[in-house]
């Protein structure tokens, strides 16, 4: 009996280490602490300050410096913004502009990515280097160049239109002399030029990302589809696109966030905040906060609304990705 008990105890002792809970390695979490601290200081703390400011009536720099009291208004800033018909106009401008830019950027970037994937190594390197110049150019620098291109006296576009035959220019556009023509005065024309500037600056990132995704698609699948008689469009839609769907999803979300937050290009092309007919949420927030008389609380509330919209867009995308993973 003692032998049996001893053997049973020995077996239990052998099983105990296997049943013991695995030890948690805390080193990876400790290594993440510096990054989390930087994110908290550079992102979460300013965001919290903006959210806090949106609940107060702030109309002077002395209040921001702490020399005067901050009157609490609660949700009055949000009620004033959401009840303003002009806010709905600005929101419509922002949504339509972002939707058009996302579509055009994705189409152009995908086409350039497919082109780079078909070119030889040397030519692809050359074309990719040229394309990435647009992405590497700062938004301010690129916008200044585009504003000169559409300058009403010495711009390249004005010069080209003045070179058209007078009869052709008059029959097509109703005028022969384009010197002094305000390219940025008409809202529709302004948004068209702004779209051109934003798409020019954004599509290289999409192209390079699509190219990286195309390199991961097995060529055997595409070749099998061609053998079965599928054309280029059918191969892309039935073979390439399903495998790159996560890549396209991320790119669409990033493009949406970038296009919703366009500020520099619009501010430079419009020459400030005078033309309210072309306002979008970013410049609307800036104008309310810093145009005299300043209304920092209202500007902060618009910025919070813009952040919430982008969080909703990101949340919808994350939910779609998780649902696709569950289905697969």
């Amino acid at each position: 009996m003692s032998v049996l008990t001893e053997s049973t105890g020995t077996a239990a002792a052998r099983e105990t280490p296997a049943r013991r809970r695995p030890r948690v390695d805390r080193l990876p979490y400790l290594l993440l602490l510096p990054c989390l601290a930087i994110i908290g200081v550079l992102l979460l703390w300013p965001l919290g300050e903006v959210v806090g400011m949106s609940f107060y009536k702030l109309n002077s720099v002395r209040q921001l410096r702490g020399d005067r009291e901050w009157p609490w208004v609660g949700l009055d800033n949000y009620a004033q913004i959401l009840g303003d018909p002009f806010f709905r106009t600005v929101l419509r401008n922002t949504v339509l502009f972002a939707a058009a830019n996302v579509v055009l950027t994705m189409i152009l970037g995908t086409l350039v990515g497919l082109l780079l994937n078909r070119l030889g190594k040397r030519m692809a390197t050359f074309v990719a280097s040229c394309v990435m110049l647009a992405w590497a150019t700062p938004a301010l620098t690129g916008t200044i160049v585009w504003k000169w291109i559409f300058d009403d006296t010495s711009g390249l576009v004005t010069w080209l239109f003045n070179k058209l035959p007078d009869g052709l220019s008059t029959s097509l556009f109703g005028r022969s002399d384009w010197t002094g023509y305000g390219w940025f005065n008409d809202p529709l024309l302004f948004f068209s030029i702004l779209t051109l500037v934003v798409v020019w600056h954004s599509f290289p990132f999409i192209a390079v990302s699509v190219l990286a995704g195309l390199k991961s698609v097995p060529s055997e699948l595409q070749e099998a589809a061609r053998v079965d008689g599928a054309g280029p469009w059918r191969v892309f839609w039935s073979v390439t696109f399903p495998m790159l769907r996560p890549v396209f999803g991320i790119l669409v979300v990033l493009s949406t966030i970038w296009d919703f937050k366009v500020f520099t290009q619009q501010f430079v092309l419009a020459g400030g905040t005078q033309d309210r007919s072309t306002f979008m949420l970013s410049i609307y927030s800036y104008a309310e906060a810093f145009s005299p008389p300043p209304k920092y609380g209202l500007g902060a509330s618009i910025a919070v609304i813009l952040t919430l919209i982008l969080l909703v867009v990101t949340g919808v995308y994350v939910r779609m990705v998780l649902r696709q993973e569950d289905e697969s």
Side-chain angles (χ1 to χ4, degrees), residues 247-261:
V247 176
F248 283 111
I250 294 175
L251 294 177
V252 167
V253 172
L254 291 177
S255 298
T256 302
I257 293 174
W258 293 335
D259 294 336
F260 260 89
K261 298 189 303 179

